Amino acid sequence: MSARIPLVGKPIERIEDRKLLLGRGSFADDIHRDGMLHAAILRSSVGHGLIRHIDVSAARALEGVHAVFSAEEIGRPVPRIPVRLFPNDGMDPFRQPVIADGKVRFVGEPIAIVIADTPAIAEDALELIEVDIEVFPAVTSIAAAVAGPALLFESHGSNRIFGYEIRRDELADIFETAAYTRRERLYVHRHTGITMETRGVVAEWNAADGYMRCWGAVKVPFANRKILAGMLDLPEDKVEMIEGNAGGSFGVRGEFFPEDFLIPFAARKLGRPVKWIEDRREHLLAITHARDVECDIAIACDGDGHILGIRADMRMNIGAYFRTSTTIAPRNVGQFVPGPYRVPAYSADVAVIASNKSPSGTYRGPGRFEADFFRERMLDLAADDLGIDRVEFRRRNLLTEAELPKPFPAITPNPVVTELDSGAYEHVLDLCLAKANWADKQHLQGKLVDGRYHGLAVCCFVEGGAAGPRESARMVLEDDGTISLYVGSSAVGQGVETILTQIAADAMELPLDAIRVFHGSTTYVKEGWGSYHSRSTVMGGNAVLLAAAEIKSQMLAAGAGLLQCSGQEVSYENGRVIAQHGGSVGLKELAGKDIAFEATFHNSKHTYTYGSHVAHVAVDAETGHIEIVDYVAIEDAGRIINPLTLHGQAVGSIVQGLGGALLEHFVYDEDGQMLSGSLADYLVPLATDFPNIRTSSIELRPSPNHPLGAKGAGEGGTIPVGGLLANAVAAALRDFHVQPTELPLSPDRIWRLVQDAPAQSGA
Amino acid sequence: MKMPQFDYACPSSLEEAIQLLSDNEGAKVLSGGQSLLPLLAFRMAQPTLLVDIQKLAGMDRIEISADGLRVGARVRWCQIEDDKRLATAHPLFQFMINHVAHYQIRNRGTVGGSLAHADPSAEMPGVARVCDCDIVAVGNAGERVIKAADFFVAALETSLQEDEIITEVRFPPWPSGRRWAFHEFARRRGDFAIAGVAVFFDIGSDGVIADAHVGVIGAGDTPIRLDAVEQLLNGQRLDEELIGRARHLASETVDPQSDIHAAGDYRKSLVGTLTARGLRDAASSGAVK
Ligand SMILES: Cc1cc2nc3c(=O)[nH]c(=O)nc-3n(C[C@H](O)[C@H](O)[C@H](O)COP(=O)(O)OP(=O)(O)OC[C@H]3O[C@@H](n4cnc5c(N)ncnc54)[C@H](O)[C@@H]3O)c2cc1C
């Protein structure tokens, strides 16, 4: 037999795509069950108030309506959504009830649910529900929330509902004695991930077996099963979450939302399957939002541009409630400000602020997009002030390999120890500069060409991945000699099926089509963790390696029996067990031998992909329009399993970052009404908007923390974009002394910065 | 976002369609559906009956003669984009319509629908206004020819009667050699304009501007004409000094509203910027463009 060429590392086209392109995917709305009813949700049209009375009688009386439920029917105390990640008792009073009971705290909060024969009838019935709400003053901006007097949780006495302290070493008197210091107030606006497929739940109750089955699960089916089982008072093994195809997650979709309780509740109550498909307006109003953080930041350097310390005082506006993943961004924004740089002393206080907006949580690069905006802005400002070239300034402060691993600043409460694992930070910076023709383009900085000012900027970033604690994979040798691979990882469109197939095929020395992956559903493995924190390749991939090693030894034992020799006299090669005496058996012959194993990979160490981005922009100072002339990104993701899927992740991630930096913005008015409640007003990048993106991934420093060596990827592209774009615009408009301190870089904002600029260009 | 209940009719004659509209209070015409159907999905419109006009004969043609253009109300954006004759017969019209929306929407959206919808940022109302078009509508009382200047009343409001159906829009002839330009600024390609400025004029044998037209979309509650700027330009030679004054005047003349995409003062400035760019562009266009 010829030597097998490994599949890991090859640009293999996504296994998922054929089925999807042929229209054979199965998304939440593709599920149809006999006797199925449809739900619609009445949502608060008031940002802040007290429900005095709900009259559902007219809605109930409408033909085709089966039931209307509000807090009354759901039963008190109304279940409240738990904090999944880094929960803390201090958050308990601020958790979201699955349906408003008494107070409403944001526009979009569920008040009642209608179950009817069709979605349209259910919506007709919503219009017949009369809700009497006593309207309270709302707070939406951070300043208003901090100032009060309107309080979301009166008994707490303040809209500051939680806080984190992040420290590295002592700042002591650094800011009093440093040769150079600068402080700024910076802000990253509210936006989030817009998934192509909106959320959806189909629930079916089997009364005889006391069994609840839910479709539409994605991202974290096992965690959601646990939450739902608790709320429905069912054992976990009586709740099943089925993951079909998913039109995106981006960290946003797949967390536990009110509807993840309301729909199963209705299905059980009525004894009929119930479907709910979120519409786009609901998605914009009530999906997890993100960012929305203000930072007073100060940097201290010595006269040569070495950073001595950074101090940050941040306020993150998380909206109305803590939900499952709300803790991540305020933690990350505090911990990631130093990034790949040597910041010897660091101190950050992050205040978690409640306001009358949709609750926030994880979105691609949570807290890191914001932290990188704060840091990279300050680096360019400091470099300019000190008269040091912006690249040189970064070189002086990037961590060297000798300084790695490097622990992150410590965070309390809920401390977690993590460290930057490995990387050649400056080397990748150089590769990126070379690819972007940085040196040759310097003469363009600030130059007016054909009516537009050109500017370039460069940033360095790190991306965290591989969240523990465990992930599972089960391999089963089937009768036909193929291997079924059941994984706890979730497919959210990132190509995890392909990746895990490649890893499994190599581990088993088999072709791709000998492996079939089943993912995400809660019946496949005993325990699964899902897809977040760029973890599926690392955690799921290592679990596959463990399972493969075990079933190979099972095959050897079984093969030795069939070949009538001892375990020492057989070896495994390309799907065959071969005996020293020359005989061999293939997988088909081994199939009857109950060969199967479920492995669990444990890991508490994170991986840190890192890299650099360069943006070249042209700014029309009269209209405020920013064109991306060129965008170059390089990241080192450790071991690359599939360059094609990684490339797709990188490009998509950058485009999403550009959307956040330039276009996407949830705007609320003072009363808590959302003004960007449709895709005509909430602007996501279109396929043709950013054609000039060049990204590449390299394998320089595999993660030393686990056998596969891969590092989490997929979020890195987004992380540096905000800071990078703002710096590029500042470079372009340097003659105007324009320094953006807020995102998004909308045309109106850029124009205003030019108008208000302290000095006009010489022209 | 499911539509409320409504009845649907698809008559095959104009008379029948008009009758349906006048017999059913709250009935609405359905053309390409690209504005009306989203309004239904958002339940911002609740018509009792939709009268689909797709079977009405003779409303989907562009006729070109010495008297100008006659564009049927059912003509879709993609037809205008693809019509090679328009490159000379009316380049401004074609160029402006190319800014409307995206491919899929251009395959359905229609001239009559856009006029009747009367979005102040839309290109079709803008081109009708700047070109002094006549809008032809037929109702129970017979045919009416409405000047564009009298047609647009306010945002999403026209002088059409409930039972009137737009059948066509008439453009005055477009002389060859006319100077023209259209500059639009939108957040993304295909979005409704934050502002757009269309200019055209002729240059007489004496080298001065004649018959200047300056129209603006997105900066008022209807498409507007900048009469003052037109007067400033007429009889003058186009040079940078004049462009500067026109720019200033254009900006001063408009009084746009603020929304989440752009504040009023930004839009004001933008109208000046686009006017200046349009004039420069038009000056160099001539017969060649
Ligand atoms: C995503 C998106 C982007 C868009 N971007 C733009 C853009 O950039 N610029 C732009 O101009 N438009 C834009 N549009 C709107 C689009 O051009 C519409 O097609 C157009 O405004 C309406 O034309 P319609 O044929 O679809 O009309 P319909 O939606 O069918 O009807 C619109 C209104 O006109 C009435 N009506 C229709 N025909 C007649 C008639 N013959 N007589 C009397 N009343 C009539 C209807 O009753 C209704 O009130 C966009 C639409 C979408 C969905």
Side-chain angles (χ1 to χ4, degrees):
Chain A
M1 254 190 180
S2 61
R4 187 178 176 282
I5 300 166
L7 295 165
V8 165
K10 281 240 200 110
I12 289 166
E13 288 190 4
R14 299 191 342 150
I15 294 168
E16 295 88 335
D17 287 342
R18 186 179 160 77
K19 194 173 76 180
L20 294 174
L21 292 172
L22 290 172
R24 296 194 188 131
S26 175
F27 296 85
D29 203 14
D30 292 323
I31 304 297
H32 297 282
R33 309 295 297 171
D34 285 345
M36 188 170 78
L37 301 173
H38 298 266
I41 313 252
L42 180 73
R43 294 174 186 279
S44 179
S45 57
V46 168
H48 193 195
L50 186 69
I51 302 174
R52 284 214 205 95
H53 182 66
I54 305 177
D55 181 356
V56 300
S57 50
R60 268 199 194 123
L62 186 72
E63 201 186 322
V65 171
H66 291 252
V68 183
F69 304 123
S70 64
E72 188 77 40
E73 291 76 19
I74 281 163
R76 299 194 167 95
V78 167
R80 290 191 296 141
I81 296 172
V83 177
R84 177 173 70 84
L85 297 162
F86 304 106
N88 187 294
D89 289 346
M91 297 162 187
D92 274 352
F94 316 117
R95 292 193 286 132
Q96 183 177 4
V98 293
I99 199 146
D101 187 15
K103 272 189 95 170
V104 285
R105 296 188 175 86
F106 69 97
V107 169
E109 183 166 5
I111 291 179
I113 168 169
V114 173
I115 313 294
D117 285 332
T118 69
I121 294 174
E123 276 193 36
D124 290 346
L126 293 185
E127 296 181 356
L128 299 173
I129 300 177
E130 281 177 34
V131 190
D132 177 13
I133 297 180
E134 179 184 349
V135 178
F136 296 162
V139 288
T140 50
S141 68
I142 292 171
V146 169
L151 295 176
L152 272 81
F153 303 91
E154 288 84 358
S155 60
H156 182 66
S158 159
N159 291 321
R160 183 194 186 283
I161 56 172
F162 204 77
Y164 290 102
E165 281 182 11
I166 299 99
R167 299 284 185 270
R168 171 189 285 159
D169 220 332
E170 286 293 317
L171 280 177
D173 61 351
I174 286 174
F175 277 90
E176 285 74 55
T177 55
Y180 168 80
T181 66
R182 176 159 185 159
R183 61 167 60 234
E184 287 292 331
R185 173 168 290 186
L186 304 173
Y187 175 71
V188 176
H189 66 298
R190 180 171 275 245
H191 58 281
T192 198
I194 304 300
T195 55
M196 192 94 85
E197 183 197 12
T198 56
R199 296 190 302 121
V201 182
V202 178
E204 185 172 84
W205 172 244
N206 181 328
D209 300 340
Y211 193 87
M212 178 64 71
R213 185 173 279 153
C214 297
W215 289 261
V218 54
K219 182 182 176 181
V220 284
F222 288 84
N224 286 3
R225 175 177 67 167
K226 186 170 182 190
I227 298 170
L228 180 62
M231 288 180 177
L232 293 176
D233 205 12
L234 292 171
E236 270 185 61
D237 62 3
K238 293 288 185 185
V239 176
E240 180 179 347
M241 296 280 174
I242 302 172
E243 184 182 77
N245 294 112
S249 164
F250 311 124
V252 170
R253 181 158 151 263
E255 291 290 343
F256 198 95
F257 288 87
E259 299 79 8
D260 292 290
F261 167 81
L262 296 173
I263 306 306
F265 170 87
R268 181 167 73 173
K269 191 100 177 166
L270 298 174
R272 299 267 299 264
V274 177
K275 176 191 267 190
W276 170 75
I277 299 296
E278 181 187 57
D279 67 36
R280 190 58 73 184
R281 179 171 43 174
E282 295 180 290
H283 184 84
L284 294 168
L285 278 181
I287 191 79
T288 294
H289 288 184
R291 323 295 192 216
D292 205 353
V293 55
E294 181 178 81
C295 180
D296 288 311
I297 185 167
I299 188 168
C301 301
D302 69 15
D304 297 327
H306 297 107
I307 300 171
L308 301 173
I310 291 180
R311 187 171 59 209
D313 187 10
M314 312 193 194
R315 291 162 293 281
M316 179 162 263
N317 183 346
I318 61 150
Y321 298 102
F322 267 105
R323 250 184 343 218
T324 48
S325 69
T326 307
T327 50
I328 299 303
R331 293 174 65 89
N332 282 352
V333 74
Q335 280 198 293
F336 274 78
V337 165
Y341 301 95
R342 192 183 310 107
V343 179
Y346 174 69
S347 158
D349 291 318
V350 183
V352 174
I353 308 290
S355 76
N356 298 110
K357 296 182 179 177
S358 186
S360 70
T362 46
Y363 164 45
R364 213 168 198 171
R368 306 190 190 108
F369 177 89
E370 301 93 303
D372 278 38
F373 174 72
F374 301 149
R375 176 187 68 240
E376 295 292 334
R377 278 270 56 214
M378 293 308 284
L379 296 194
D380 269 17
L381 289 168
D384 287 357
D385 287 346
L386 289 164
I388 301 171
D389 173 75
R390 293 169 178 193
V391 173
E392 178 55 30
F393 187 84
R394 286 176 171 75
R395 288 189 199 286
R396 286 182 197 173
N397 289 292
L398 278 174
L399 289 163
T400 62
E401 291 204 73
E403 292 169 282
L404 300 180
K406 171 85 180 171
F408 270 70
I411 182 165
T412 54
N414 301 67
V416 164
V417 179
T418 179
E419 52 190 31
L420 293 172
D421 50 354
S422 59
Y425 298 156
E426 190 177 353
H427 180 57
V428 171
L429 168 63
D430 280 322
L431 293 176
C432 189
L433 293 171
K435 187 170 170 186
N437 290 328
W438 178 266
D440 294 345
K441 282 184 164 182
Q442 286 313 299
H443 71 280
L444 284 171
Q445 295 278 28
K447 196 165 174 192
L448 183 62
V449 183
D450 283 342
R452 294 173 316 156
Y453 294 88
H454 286 246
L456 291 99
V458 60
C459 288
C460 306
F461 73 96
V462 292
E463 166 193 3
R470 322 183 258 288
E471 193 53 271
S472 309
R474 182 162 62 96
M475 277 188 170
V476 178
L477 178 59
E478 304 289 357
D479 288 346
D480 62 356
T482 65
I483 289 175
S484 293
L485 172 60
Y486 299 89
V487 296
S489 310
S490 277
V492 292
Q494 81 279 49
V496 74
E497 240 179 285
T498 307
I499 298 288
L500 296 181
T501 304
Q502 286 175 263
I503 294 170
D506 274 8
M508 297 305 301
E509 303 169 37
L510 290 170
L512 280 179
D513 59 9
I515 313 282
R516 261 179 309 161
V517 173
F518 300 86
H519 54 77
S521 298
T522 53
T523 49
Y524 291 158
V525 288
K526 280 201 266 326
E527 177 186 64
W529 295 82
S531 293
Y532 55 96
H533 194 250
S534 298
R535 70 189 297 279
S536 292
T537 300
V538 177
M539 297 298 292
N542 276 298
V544 169
L545 292 185
L546 292 178
E550 175 60 26
I551 73 161
K552 270 202 275 191
S553 57
Q554 288 182 11
M555 287 173 178
L556 285 173
L562 288 174
L563 294 163
Q564 300 189 328
C565 51
S566 83
Q568 281 75 51
E569 293 167 319
V570 285
S571 59
Y572 180 92
E573 217 175 276
N574 297 333
R576 293 193 78 77
V577 174
I578 299 165
Q580 285 172 3
H581 60 57
S584 72
V585 288
L587 297 186
K588 269 194 192 143
E589 290 118 293
L590 292 165
K593 299 286 176 190
D594 282 340
I595 289 174
F597 188 73
E598 179 163 335
T600 303
F601 176 69
H602 296 260
N603 180 30
S604 61
K605 289 192 167 177
H606 295 167
T607 63
Y608 288 95
T609 287
Y610 63 94
S612 294
H613 288 198
V614 168
H616 174 185
V617 302
V619 184
D620 183 334
E622 289 180 333
T623 65
H625 181 255
I626 299 167
E627 190 201 332
I628 310 293
V629 179
D630 191 19
Y631 196 109
V632 175
I634 300 193
E635 64 180 357
D636 176 8
R639 179 131 172 251
I640 297 172
I641 311 298
N642 186 332
L644 212 56
T645 57
L646 182 60
H647 185 70
Q649 285 290 311
V651 174
S653 196
I654 290 169
V655 170
Q656 239 174 355
L658 289 167
L662 298 170
L663 295 166
E664 301 182 40
H665 190 185
F666 286 123
V667 184
Y668 282 85
D669 71 9
E670 288 172 359
D671 300 326
Q673 294 299 331
M674 199 212 276
L675 305 179
S676 38
S678 84
L679 290 182
D681 286 319
Y682 185 89
L683 307 178
V684 292
L686 305 177
T688 49
D689 282 341
F690 302 115
N692 303 324
I693 294 171
R694 300 189 284 144
T695 112
S696 46
S697 301
I698 47 168
E699 291 182 309
L700 276 178
R701 299 290 181 270
S703 177
N705 293 339
H706 61 90
L708 199 57
K711 294 184 173 186
E715 303 186 73
T718 299
I719 291 168
V721 182
L724 182 67
L725 267 269
N727 284 346
V729 167
L733 300 178
R734 66 179 180 192
D735 286 353
F736 300 90
H737 301 291
V738 159
Q739 297 293 356
T741 56
E742 279 182 43
L743 297 177
L745 303 167
S746 55
D748 175 313
R749 188 189 304 282
I750 300 302
W751 172 82
R752 202 168 301 282
L753 285 171
V754 172
Q755 297 300 304
D756 297 346
Q760 292 288 321
S761 127
Chain B
M1 295 179 99
K2 300 281 180 261
M3 297 182 202
Q5 279 202 11
F6 53 82
D7 288 327
Y8 172 86
C10 193
S12 42
S13 76
L14 188 58
E15 296 67 36
E16 208 184 323
I18 291 164
Q19 204 55 51
L20 282 164
L21 287 175
S22 45
D23 289 352
N24 295 278
E25 204 185 318
K28 273 205 150 287
V29 175
L30 173 66
S31 186
Q34 299 302 295
S35 294
L36 186 54
L37 297 193
L39 287 177
L40 292 184
F42 275 107
R43 299 196 173 211
M44 285 156 69
Q46 309 236 355
T48 50
L49 168 72
L50 291 188
V51 181
D52 190 336
I53 57 171
Q54 64 174 314
K55 285 195 192 151
L56 307 192
M59 279 167 59
D60 57 357
R61 285 193 297 267
I62 303 174
E63 283 169 27
I64 300 173
S65 71
D67 297 335
L69 303 186
R70 298 163 75 113
V71 181
R74 286 276 310 151
V75 167
R76 294 170 294 139
W77 306 134
C78 57
Q79 282 172 265
I80 297 164
E81 193 175 350
D82 294 344
D83 196 320
K84 301 227 164 29
R85 302 169 303 166
L86 289 174
T88 46
H90 211 301
L92 175 65
F93 175 41
Q94 190 171 45
F95 188 74
M96 281 180 78
I97 295 308
N98 286 352
H99 287 75
V100 175
H102 317 276
Y103 183 85
Q104 293 86 339
I105 292 152
R106 287 205 294 271
N107 279 341
R108 294 202 78 102
T110 65
V111 165
S114 182
L115 290 170
H117 189 61
D119 190 308
S121 299
E123 288 82 359
M124 186 65 226
V127 73
R129 182 77 179 91
V130 77
C131 293
D132 295 315
C133 288
D134 286 335
I135 293 158
V136 184
V138 184
N140 264 326
E143 186 182 280
R144 273 206 303 154
V145 178
I146 311 163
K147 299 226 155 299
D150 303 326
F151 185 81
F152 302 104
V153 175
L156 311 186
E157 203 183 320
T158 67
S159 57
L160 274 184
Q161 301 297 310
E162 298 262 307
D163 65 347
E164 280 181 321
I165 296 176
I166 301 171
T167 52
E168 69 177 24
V169 53
R170 296 177 188 152
F171 286 74
W174 183 269
S176 67
R178 177 170 271 179
R179 314 294 174 103
W180 66 275
F182 175 63
H183 276 258
E184 172 175 313
F185 189 78
R187 299 276 314 258
R188 300 169 304 184
R189 168 105 209 161
D191 280 341
F192 276 105
I194 287 184
V197 176
V199 299
F200 66 84
F201 50 82
D202 298 316
I203 300 266
S205 50
D206 49 359
V208 303
I209 294 175
D211 203 17
H213 285 61
V214 181
V216 179
I217 58 174
D221 64 356
T222 64
I224 50 181
R225 283 283 284 281
L226 303 185
D227 300 333
V229 178
E230 292 173 0
Q231 281 164 25
L232 171 76
L233 295 171
N234 281 332
Q236 304 290 314
R237 272 173 208 284
L238 193 67
D239 56 20
E240 274 303 313
E241 203 263 335
L242 185 66
I243 291 173
R245 284 165 59 202
R247 172 195 191 121
H248 186 72
L249 191 57
S251 193
E252 286 306 302
T253 312
V254 295
D255 185 17
Q257 303 242 324
S258 296
D259 65 23
I260 64 166
H261 299 297
D265 60 346
Y266 168 80
R267 278 199 161 88
K268 245 172 129 61
S269 158
L270 189 61
V271 167
T273 298
L274 299 178
T275 301
R277 290 180 183 183
L279 287 171
R280 269 186 215 117
D281 234 24
S284 58
S285 68
V288 281
K289 187 154 180 181

